[in-house]
Amino acid sequence: MYRLFIGLLCLLVISGCANTTVSEPSPTPLIPYPAYPVEPIPTSPDASYPGPDSSGQSQATLFFYIAEPVRVSDSQIQGGGPPQVPIRVINLSRNNAVIADTVVGADGQFVAPLRDVAAGDSVAIIFNEQISSAFTREQLQPFSVQVLPSGELVMSSVVVAP
């Protein structure tokens, strides 16, 4: 009985596979991509990218960053941003506790003390609006990565490594 059942099953499979036909898809006509005119790259020394915006400040200089990795054992936090912008280093994981207040140097770099952090804490730099600056909140808002409930602009953040 078992052999008869296996034999019938094999016949069914073989007969089912023998009559299958696969229809070929019909070819579609080839349509070339449109050719767009290519403009030559300016070679004059005064042409650069990105150009200055209407305020005279280059958009690329408004970029903020924190040098990674930031470790618990580090005594300082380093990074960069637009020259002469006042920033505040805060611990987002500890109720936005202020770690340090500093100003980005003329070279676009900053160094601030790092204290009271633990592995896994999120440390951030925010634009310090309480100190006068060449930049306004409106100029820096598009470059912020987050806005805190208090309205402060978070410009960059990292997680502290062990």
Side-chain angles (χ1 to χ4, degrees):
M1 182 74 178
Y2 178 72
R3 289 185 184 167
L4 179 65
F5 179 70
I6 295 294
L8 286 173
L9 186 60
C10 288
L11 282 173
L12 264 166
V13 169
I14 292 172
S15 66
C17 292
N19 294 333
T20 58
T21 58
V22 177
S23 62
E24 293 290 324
S26 61
T28 57
L30 293 176
I31 301 172
Y33 287 108
Y36 294 104
V38 178
E39 296 179 21
I41 298 173
T43 57
S44 66
D46 58 339
S48 65
Y49 179 81
D53 62 5
S54 61
S55 67
Q57 294 290 338
S58 174
Q59 295 263 342
T61 62
L62 298 179
F63 177 72
F64 289 84
Y65 70 93
I66 298 173
E68 293 188 64
V70 176
R71 302 189 189 284
V72 174
S73 59
D74 292 345
S75 62
Q76 296 178 331
I77 186 168
Q78 300 176 356
Q84 306 305 317
V85 172
I87 58 171
R88 179 173 278 170
V89 182
I90 64 171
N91 190 335
L92 293 172
S93 300
R94 300 194 185 213
N95 222 10
N96 302 338
V98 176
I99 296 173
D101 285 318
T102 189
V103 176
V104 179
D107 62 350
Q109 304 290 316
F110 74 87
V111 176
L114 183 66
R115 60 183 184 279
D116 301 327
V117 294
D121 283 357
S122 290
V123 175
I125 54 175
I126 62 171
F127 175 57
N128 190 350
E129 296 178 67
Q130 298 171 352
I131 300 175
S132 64
S133 170
F135 296 96
T136 64
R137 176 186 178 85
E138 290 73 28
Q139 288 174 311
L140 295 178
Q141 177 104 28
F143 299 94
S144 67
V145 294
Q146 179 183 0
V147 178
L148 297 177
S150 60
E152 296 168 310
L153 301 176
V154 176
M155 305 314 290
S156 182
S157 66
V158 295
V159 175
V160 178

